[in-house]
Amino acid sequence: MKYLNHSLAVLISLSILSACKSKEEKKEEVIKPVRYEVVSKLNAEKVRSYSGVASASNEIELSFRSSGIISVLKAKVGQRVKKGDLLMRLDNVQAQLAYEQSVSALKSAQSAMNTAKSSLERSKALYEKGSHSLSDYETAKNAFQSALDKHESAKRKKEIDQSQINYGYIYAPKNGVLASVDISLNETVGSGQVVAVLNAGDDVNVLVGLPENVINKVSIGMNTKVNLSSIEGKEFAGNVIEISPIVDANTSTFPVKIDIPSPGEAIKPGMVANVIFTFGSNTKDSSNQLVVPVKAVGEDGSGNFVMLIESSDNKFGVIKKQTIVLGELTNDGFVVLSGLSEGQLIATAGLQTLLDKQKVKLQ
């Protein structure tokens, strides 16, 4: 009886261990993501979209040219202003005092110049009659010239002090909307410090970063289409107005600016936009053949091959190794003479790690 009980215990333990082992072996299937491209013709148009951010076509940063304390603040975020409207002013008492002193100095210089001028005219008349010597006449001339120079200097000083007062005011340089106001009343600001940003102009720009493999296909004036996720069911026409010749070190892309003429008030600065570019040529020639990227082509003992991706939903697919016959090498890749058809999907990275009939996720 004890033997029977022992045997049953052993069998139960083995069953439990076997079940645990089965659960351990049954791991979640890992689906590898893979990059791909659609097989297309050499001269077929290629549509690509890139994300960007909308901004005002004319963003003006406002700042004082002198330092001081904000004594008047009429600017508010979102406020629509007209050209010439007073937005803010500094408490520039010292500049005002300096200006008043320069006005007083100018009046004194003007009086001294008039006196010197009268003395010169009197000395000249006496010299012509023989009542004054040449040295007296020359002294009067020098005195007048000195008074004239002091008058001009005082005049320039008054203009400079007047400018210092003007530097304590900020007027709207154009019609527009205040996008930001970064100061408050009685706050001390420095010369050149940005205190507000004015969005002027009716157009909207979208800044996108393009990779190096397409930047040379973009040109000034190129037409684009712009979609915004926040504005459903509407597509805007745009055109390229700026192309940076230098790559952005932060994104490793080339900044390109798209202009959207007269977009209305629906598009606001800061909105995320999707810019659609159409690359390619519409010219007809004899080389209108299928082309695949160089990085998508592998080679083994049977010849050249690509990794096809058979997919029904463009989300997941199954790898199929496909032998192909290549033609000449072009700027867009290898011309395919046989083995592929237009519209098929092919993997473009990690060919050595992909296996026939392997399930993958399209990326």
Side-chain angles (χ1 to χ4, degrees), residues 60-110:
I60 304 174
E61 294 183 339
L62 305 177
S63 62
F64 289 101
R65 295 181 64 179
S66 60
S67 57
I69 300 174
I70 301 293
S71 61
V72 175
L73 180 60
K74 297 183 177 181
K76 296 181 180 179
V77 175
Q79 178 183 352
R80 187 170 292 277
V81 298
K82 295 182 179 180
K83 182 179 180 181
D85 286 352
L86 175 64
L87 303 181
M88 56 193 77
R89 178 171 67 85
L90 293 179
D91 182 15
N92 47 4
V93 176
Q94 293 181 345
Q96 184 66 40
L97 179 60
Y99 174 72
E100 292 174 359
Q101 290 174 346
S102 64
V103 170
S104 177
L106 178 60
K107 290 180 179 179
S108 298
Q110 177 74 42

Coordinates of all heavy atoms in Angstrom, one line a residue, residues 60-110:
I60 N 8.2 88.8 -35.0 CA 9.1 89.9 -34.7 C 9.3 89.9 -33.2 O 8.3 90.0 -32.4 CB 8.4 91.2 -35.1 CG1 8.1 91.2 -36.6 CG2 9.3 92.4 -34.8 CD1 7.3 92.4 -37.1
E61 N 10.5 89.8 -32.8 CA 10.9 89.8 -31.4 C 11.1 91.3 -30.9 O 11.9 92.0 -31.6 CB 12.2 89.0 -31.1 CG 12.0 87.5 -31.3 CD 13.3 86.7 -31.0 OE1 14.4 87.4 -31.0 OE2 13.2 85.5 -30.8
L62 N 10.4 91.7 -29.9 CA 10.4 93.1 -29.5 C 11.3 93.2 -28.2 O 11.3 92.4 -27.3 CB 9.0 93.5 -29.1 CG 8.0 93.4 -30.2 CD1 6.6 93.8 -29.7 CD2 8.4 94.2 -31.5
S63 N 12.1 94.3 -28.2 CA 13.0 94.5 -27.1 C 13.3 96.0 -27.0 O 13.2 96.7 -27.9 CB 14.3 93.7 -27.2 OG 15.0 94.1 -28.4
F64 N 13.7 96.4 -25.8 CA 14.2 97.8 -25.5 C 15.6 97.9 -25.9 O 16.4 97.0 -25.8 CB 14.0 98.2 -24.1 CG 12.5 98.4 -23.7 CD1 11.9 97.3 -23.0 CD2 11.8 99.5 -24.0 CE1 10.6 97.5 -22.5 CE2 10.5 99.7 -23.6 CZ 9.9 98.6 -22.9
R65 N 16.0 99.1 -26.3 CA 17.4 99.4 -26.6 C 18.1 100.0 -25.4 O 19.3 100.4 -25.5 CB 17.5 100.3 -27.8 CG 17.0 99.6 -29.1 CD 17.2 100.5 -30.3 NE 18.6 100.8 -30.6 CZ 19.0 101.5 -31.7 NH1 18.1 102.0 -32.5 NH2 20.3 101.7 -31.9
S66 N 17.4 100.1 -24.3 CA 18.0 100.6 -23.1 C 17.4 99.8 -21.9 O 16.4 99.1 -22.1 CB 17.8 102.1 -22.9 OG 16.4 102.4 -22.9
S67 N 18.1 99.9 -20.8 CA 17.6 99.2 -19.6 C 16.7 100.1 -18.7 O 16.9 101.3 -18.8 CB 18.8 98.6 -18.8 OG 19.7 99.6 -18.4
G68 N 15.9 99.5 -17.9 CA 15.1 100.3 -17.0 C 14.0 99.4 -16.4 O 13.9 98.2 -16.5
I69 N 13.0 100.1 -15.7 CA 11.9 99.5 -15.1 C 10.6 99.7 -15.9 O 10.4 100.9 -16.3 CB 11.7 100.0 -13.7 CG1 13.0 99.7 -12.8 CG2 10.5 99.4 -13.0 CD1 12.9 100.3 -11.4
I70 N 9.8 98.7 -16.2 CA 8.6 98.8 -16.9 C 7.6 99.7 -16.1 O 7.2 99.3 -15.0 CB 7.9 97.5 -17.2 CG1 8.9 96.6 -18.0 CG2 6.6 97.6 -18.0 CD1 9.2 97.1 -19.4
S71 N 7.2 100.8 -16.6 CA 6.3 101.7 -16.0 C 4.9 101.7 -16.6 O 3.9 102.0 -16.0 CB 6.8 103.2 -15.9 OG 7.0 103.7 -17.2
V72 N 4.8 101.4 -17.9 CA 3.6 101.3 -18.6 C 3.6 100.0 -19.4 O 4.5 99.7 -20.2 CB 3.4 102.5 -19.6 CG1 2.1 102.3 -20.5 CG2 3.3 103.8 -18.9
L73 N 2.5 99.2 -19.3 CA 2.4 97.9 -20.0 C 1.0 97.8 -20.5 O 0.1 97.5 -19.8 CB 2.8 96.7 -19.0 CG 2.7 95.3 -19.7 CD1 3.7 95.2 -20.8 CD2 3.0 94.3 -18.6
K74 N 0.9 97.9 -21.8 CA -0.4 97.8 -22.5 C -0.6 96.5 -23.3 O -1.6 96.3 -24.0 CB -0.7 99.0 -23.3 CG -0.8 100.3 -22.6 CD -1.1 101.5 -23.5 CE -1.3 102.8 -22.7 NZ -1.6 103.9 -23.6
A75 N 0.5 95.7 -23.3 CA 0.5 94.5 -24.2 C 0.0 93.3 -23.4 O 0.3 93.1 -22.3 CB 1.9 94.2 -24.6
K76 N -0.9 92.5 -24.1 CA -1.4 91.3 -23.5 C -1.3 90.2 -24.6 O -1.4 90.4 -25.8 CB -2.8 91.4 -23.1 CG -3.1 92.4 -22.0 CD -4.5 92.5 -21.6 CE -4.7 93.5 -20.5 NZ -6.2 93.6 -20.1
V77 N -1.1 88.9 -24.1 CA -1.0 87.8 -25.0 C -2.3 87.6 -25.8 O -3.4 87.7 -25.2 CB -0.7 86.5 -24.3 CG1 -0.7 85.3 -25.2 CG2 0.7 86.6 -23.6
G78 N -2.2 87.5 -27.1 CA -3.4 87.3 -28.0 C -4.0 88.6 -28.4 O -5.0 88.6 -29.2
Q79 N -3.5 89.7 -28.0 CA -4.0 91.1 -28.3 C -3.7 91.4 -29.8 O -2.5 91.2 -30.2 CB -3.4 92.1 -27.4 CG -3.9 93.5 -27.7 CD -3.2 94.5 -26.8 OE1 -2.5 94.2 -25.8 NE2 -3.4 95.8 -27.1
R80 N -4.7 91.8 -30.5 CA -4.4 92.3 -31.9 C -4.1 93.8 -31.9 O -4.8 94.6 -31.3 CB -5.7 92.0 -32.8 CG -5.4 92.3 -34.2 CD -6.6 91.8 -35.1 NE -6.7 90.3 -35.1 CZ -5.9 89.6 -35.9 NH1 -5.1 90.1 -36.7 NH2 -6.1 88.3 -35.8
V81 N -3.0 94.1 -32.5 CA -2.5 95.5 -32.4 C -2.3 96.0 -33.8 O -2.2 95.3 -34.8 CB -1.2 95.6 -31.7 CG1 -1.3 95.1 -30.2 CG2 -0.1 94.8 -32.3
K82 N -2.3 97.4 -33.9 CA -2.1 98.1 -35.2 C -0.7 98.7 -35.1 O -0.2 99.0 -34.1 CB -3.2 99.1 -35.4 CG -4.5 98.5 -35.6 CD -5.6 99.6 -35.9 CE -6.9 99.0 -36.1 NZ -7.9 100.1 -36.4
K83 N -0.1 98.9 -36.3 CA 1.2 99.6 -36.4 C 1.1 100.9 -35.7 O 0.3 101.8 -36.0 CB 1.6 99.7 -37.9 CG 2.9 100.4 -38.1 CD 3.3 100.5 -39.6 CE 4.6 101.1 -39.7 NZ 5.0 101.2 -41.2
G84 N 2.1 101.2 -34.8 CA 2.2 102.4 -34.1 C 1.6 102.4 -32.7 O 1.8 103.4 -32.0
D85 N 0.9 101.4 -32.4 CA 0.3 101.3 -31.0 C 1.4 101.2 -30.0 O 2.3 100.4 -30.1 CB -0.7 100.1 -30.9 CG -2.0 100.3 -31.7 OD1 -2.2 101.4 -32.1 OD2 -2.7 99.3 -31.8
L86 N 1.2 102.0 -28.9 CA 2.2 101.9 -27.8 C 1.9 100.6 -27.0 O 0.8 100.4 -26.5 CB 2.0 103.1 -26.8 CG 2.9 103.1 -25.6 CD1 4.3 103.1 -25.9 CD2 2.5 104.2 -24.6
L87 N 3.0 99.8 -26.8 CA 2.8 98.5 -26.1 C 3.4 98.6 -24.7 O 2.8 98.0 -23.8 CB 3.6 97.4 -26.9 CG 3.1 97.2 -28.4 CD1 3.9 96.1 -29.0 CD2 1.6 96.9 -28.4
M88 N 4.5 99.3 -24.5 CA 5.1 99.4 -23.2 C 6.1 100.5 -23.2 O 6.6 101.0 -24.2 CB 5.7 98.0 -22.8 CG 6.8 97.5 -23.7 SD 7.2 95.8 -23.4 CE 5.8 94.9 -24.0
R89 N 6.4 101.0 -21.9 CA 7.3 102.1 -21.8 C 8.2 101.9 -20.5 O 7.7 101.3 -19.5 CB 6.6 103.4 -21.7 CG 7.5 104.6 -21.5 CD 6.7 105.9 -21.7 NE 5.7 106.1 -20.6 CZ 6.0 106.7 -19.4 NH1 7.2 107.1 -19.1 NH2 5.0 106.8 -18.6
L90 N 9.4 102.4 -20.5 CA 10.3 102.3 -19.4 C 10.2 103.6 -18.5 O 9.8 104.6 -19.1 CB 11.7 102.1 -19.8 CG 12.2 100.8 -20.5 CD1 13.6 100.9 -20.9 CD2 11.9 99.6 -19.6
D91 N 10.5 103.4 -17.3 CA 10.5 104.6 -16.4 C 11.9 105.2 -16.5 O 12.8 105.1 -15.7 CB 10.3 104.1 -14.9 CG 10.3 105.3 -14.0 OD1 10.2 106.5 -14.4 OD2 10.4 105.1 -12.7
N92 N 12.1 106.0 -17.6 CA 13.4 106.5 -18.0 C 13.6 107.9 -17.5 O 13.7 108.9 -18.3 CB 13.6 106.4 -19.5 CG 12.5 106.9 -20.3 OD1 11.5 107.4 -19.7 ND2 12.5 106.8 -21.6
V93 N 13.5 108.1 -16.2 CA 13.7 109.5 -15.6 C 15.1 110.0 -15.9 O 15.2 111.2 -16.2 CB 13.5 109.4 -14.1 CG1 13.7 110.8 -13.5 CG2 12.0 108.9 -13.8
Q94 N 16.1 109.2 -15.8 CA 17.5 109.7 -16.0 C 17.6 110.1 -17.5 O 18.3 111.2 -17.7 CB 18.5 108.6 -15.7 CG 18.5 108.2 -14.2 CD 19.5 107.1 -13.9 OE1 20.0 106.4 -14.8 NE2 19.8 107.0 -12.7
A95 N 17.0 109.4 -18.4 CA 17.1 109.8 -19.8 C 16.4 111.1 -20.1 O 16.9 112.0 -20.8 CB 16.6 108.7 -20.7
Q96 N 15.3 111.3 -19.4 CA 14.5 112.5 -19.5 C 15.3 113.7 -19.0 O 15.4 114.8 -19.6 CB 13.2 112.4 -18.8 CG 12.3 113.6 -19.0 CD 11.8 113.8 -20.4 OE1 11.5 112.9 -21.1 NE2 11.8 115.1 -20.8
L97 N 16.0 113.5 -17.8 CA 16.8 114.5 -17.2 C 18.0 114.9 -18.1 O 18.3 116.1 -18.3 CB 17.3 114.1 -15.8 CG 18.2 115.0 -15.1 CD1 17.4 116.3 -14.8 CD2 18.7 114.4 -13.8
A98 N 18.6 113.9 -18.7 CA 19.8 114.1 -19.5 C 19.3 114.9 -20.8 O 20.0 115.8 -21.3 CB 20.4 112.8 -20.0
Y99 N 18.1 114.6 -21.3 CA 17.6 115.3 -22.4 C 17.3 116.8 -22.1 O 17.7 117.7 -22.9 CB 16.3 114.6 -22.9 CG 15.6 115.4 -24.0 CD1 16.1 115.4 -25.3 CD2 14.4 116.1 -23.8 CE1 15.5 116.1 -26.3 CE2 13.8 116.8 -24.8 CZ 14.3 116.8 -26.1 OH 13.7 117.5 -27.1
E100 N 16.8 117.0 -20.9 CA 16.5 118.4 -20.5 C 17.8 119.2 -20.4 O 17.9 120.4 -20.7 CB 15.7 118.4 -19.2 CG 14.3 117.9 -19.4 CD 13.5 117.8 -18.1 OE1 14.2 118.1 -17.0 OE2 12.4 117.4 -18.1
Q101 N 18.8 118.6 -19.8 CA 20.1 119.2 -19.7 C 20.7 119.5 -21.1 O 21.3 120.6 -21.3 CB 21.1 118.3 -18.9 CG 20.7 118.2 -17.4 CD 21.5 117.3 -16.7 OE1 22.3 116.4 -17.3 NE2 21.5 117.3 -15.3
S102 N 20.6 118.6 -22.0 CA 21.1 118.8 -23.4 C 20.3 119.9 -24.1 O 20.9 120.7 -24.9 CB 21.1 117.5 -24.2 OG 19.7 117.1 -24.4
V103 N 19.0 120.1 -23.8 CA 18.3 121.2 -24.4 C 18.8 122.5 -23.9 O 18.9 123.5 -24.6 CB 16.8 121.0 -24.1 CG1 16.0 122.2 -24.5 CG2 16.2 119.8 -24.8
S104 N 19.0 122.6 -22.6 CA 19.5 123.8 -22.0 C 20.9 124.1 -22.5 O 21.2 125.3 -22.8 CB 19.6 123.6 -20.4 OG 20.2 124.7 -19.8
A105 N 21.8 123.1 -22.7 CA 23.1 123.3 -23.2 C 23.0 123.8 -24.6 O 23.8 124.6 -25.1 CB 23.9 122.0 -23.1
L106 N 22.1 123.3 -25.4 CA 21.9 123.7 -26.8 C 21.5 125.2 -26.9 O 22.0 125.9 -27.7 CB 20.9 122.8 -27.5 CG 20.6 123.2 -29.0 CD1 21.9 123.1 -29.8 CD2 19.5 122.3 -29.5
K107 N 20.6 125.6 -26.0 CA 20.2 127.0 -26.0 C 21.4 127.9 -25.6 O 21.6 129.0 -26.2 CB 19.1 127.2 -25.0 CG 17.8 126.5 -25.4 CD 16.7 126.8 -24.3 CE 15.4 126.1 -24.8 NZ 14.3 126.3 -23.7
S108 N 22.2 127.5 -24.7 CA 23.4 128.3 -24.3 C 24.4 128.4 -25.5 O 24.9 129.4 -25.7 CB 24.1 127.7 -23.1 OG 23.2 127.7 -21.9
A109 N 24.6 127.2 -26.1 CA 25.5 127.2 -27.3 C 24.9 128.1 -28.4 O 25.7 128.7 -29.1 CB 25.7 125.8 -27.7
Q110 N 23.6 128.1 -28.6 CA 23.0 128.9 -29.6 C 23.2 130.4 -29.3 O 23.5 131.2 -30.2 CB 21.5 128.6 -29.7 CG 20.7 129.4 -30.7 CD 21.0 129.0 -32.1 OE1 21.0 127.8 -32.4 NE2 21.1 130.0 -33.0

